[in-house]
Amino acid sequence: RKEVEQDPGPFNVPEGATVAFNCTYSNSASQSFFWYRQDCRKEPKLLMSVYSSGNEDGRFTAQLNRASQYISLLIRDSKLSDSATYLCVVKESGGYQKVTFGIGTKLQVIP
Amino acid sequence: GAGVSQSPRYKVAKRGQDVALRCDPISGHVSLFWYQQALGQGPEFLTYFQNEAQLDKSGLPSDRFFAERPEGSVSTLKIQRTQQEDSAVYLCASSSRGTDSGANVLTFGAGSRLTVL
């Protein structure tokens, strides 16, 4: 089983739609969680950190469920510019805190 | 520097050639990671440095892969006797604090795209 699992998609949604992605992780001791965005042929860039209490940044909401070991990303009112791959990232606790990426979920927002 | 700089951006190698990929992290960043990203996949961990110390090299796929960061700043990833399966984008990332503190943000370079013919 992979340490971080995501549905690779693609998710094709119309402009204005709400879309949600989930990600599960296998190490219950994982400490920190992030969503990164990667545009085609570009490097990953931090979208948002994920906090235990959940957090929101404009149209983006991230949630963490430690009991079920999953995190989610909700995008409201999708824009064409949201089209990208969304990478789930998990940082372990202890030691030097290895950072592991999921395969990424591809989102295509359609006009 | 202002960001993480990687070179070369593109490298075409014949099978069996050695290649060296360079990463110049953000000035003062303690942590440096190398990842390998194949087409359609997420970044796969290769190795991690804290300053000049290579604390984890468990992700290096074979002994043909070697990484170093001798002065705790610039890092080089070397691949000997390249094979076609080594074709991928090699991403370098750095972060500002030692990873035994709070949540640290990885800043990535643009990557080095290696094609082995």
Side-chain angles (χ1 to χ4, degrees):
Chain A
R1 181 186 172 190
K2 289 184 77 70
E3 295 174 56
V4 180
E5 296 205 47
Q6 293 183 255
D7 181 343
F11 284 60
N12 297 313
V13 303
E15 262 187 297
T18 296
V19 62
F21 310 133
N22 284 337
C23 162
T24 58
Y25 59 95
S26 59
N27 185 350
S28 59
S30 296
Q31 183 179 71
S32 305
F33 309 89
F34 309 87
W35 285 101
Y36 274 69
R37 170 188 170 133
Q38 186 171 28
D39 292 289
C40 189
R41 301 179 78 86
K42 299 285 189 182
E43 72 273 22
K45 292 185 179 177
L46 178 69
L47 177 66
M48 58 197 303
S49 302
V50 185
Y51 302 121
S52 296
S53 55
N55 48 299
E56 190 173 305
D57 183 1
R59 298 181 293 108
F60 298 82
T61 301
Q63 297 277 354
L64 167 64
N65 185 321
R66 286 191 183 272
S68 300
Q69 293 180 213
Y70 79 82
I71 69 174
S72 64
L73 177 67
L74 181 79
I75 305 175
R76 290 181 298 278
D77 188 24
S78 300
K79 310 291 185 192
L80 295 176
S81 57
D82 294 334
S83 298
T85 296
Y86 291 84
L87 295 160
C88 173
V89 182
V90 174
K91 180 184 286 188
E92 296 177 4
S93 62
Y96 76 88
Q97 298 184 343
K98 183 178 176 181
V99 180
T100 304
F101 285 73
I103 192 173
T105 298
K106 187 171 183 179
L107 171 66
Q108 185 69 47
V109 180
I110 303 163
Chain B
V4 179
S5 178
Q6 291 188 246
S7 62
R9 288 292 313 279
Y10 303 93
K11 176 69 179 177
V12 179
K14 291 183 179 178
R15 189 163 58 92
Q17 275 187 328
D18 297 349
V19 300
L21 308 177
R22 176 188 166 108
C23 173
D24 201 339
I26 292 172
S27 179
H29 274 196
V30 169
S31 300
L32 186 146
F33 295 79
W34 282 99
Y35 287 85
Q36 180 191 59
Q37 187 171 27
L39 190 64
Q41 301 295 314
E44 293 282 346
F45 170 79
L46 293 177
T47 188
Y48 165 71
F49 289 87
Q50 188 169 87
N51 296 305
E52 69 279 2
Q54 189 176 22
L55 298 188
D56 188 347
K57 54 182 180 179
S58 63
L60 296 176
S62 77
D63 59 8
R64 296 186 296 104
F65 286 71
F66 171 77
E68 60 183 4
R69 193 187 185 196
E71 296 177 0
S73 55
V74 171
S75 177
T76 303
L77 176 66
K78 297 178 180 177
I79 308 173
Q80 296 177 322
R81 304 181 303 282
T82 51
Q83 305 293 316
Q84 284 189 322
E85 61 263 27
D86 300 335
S87 295
V89 176
Y90 290 85
L91 293 163
C92 176
S94 69
S95 68
S96 60
R97 291 176 286 175
T99 55
D100 57 354
S101 52
N104 295 288
V105 174
L106 296 187
T107 301
F108 282 86
S112 292
R113 183 177 297 274
L114 173 65
T115 302
V116 182
L117 303 177

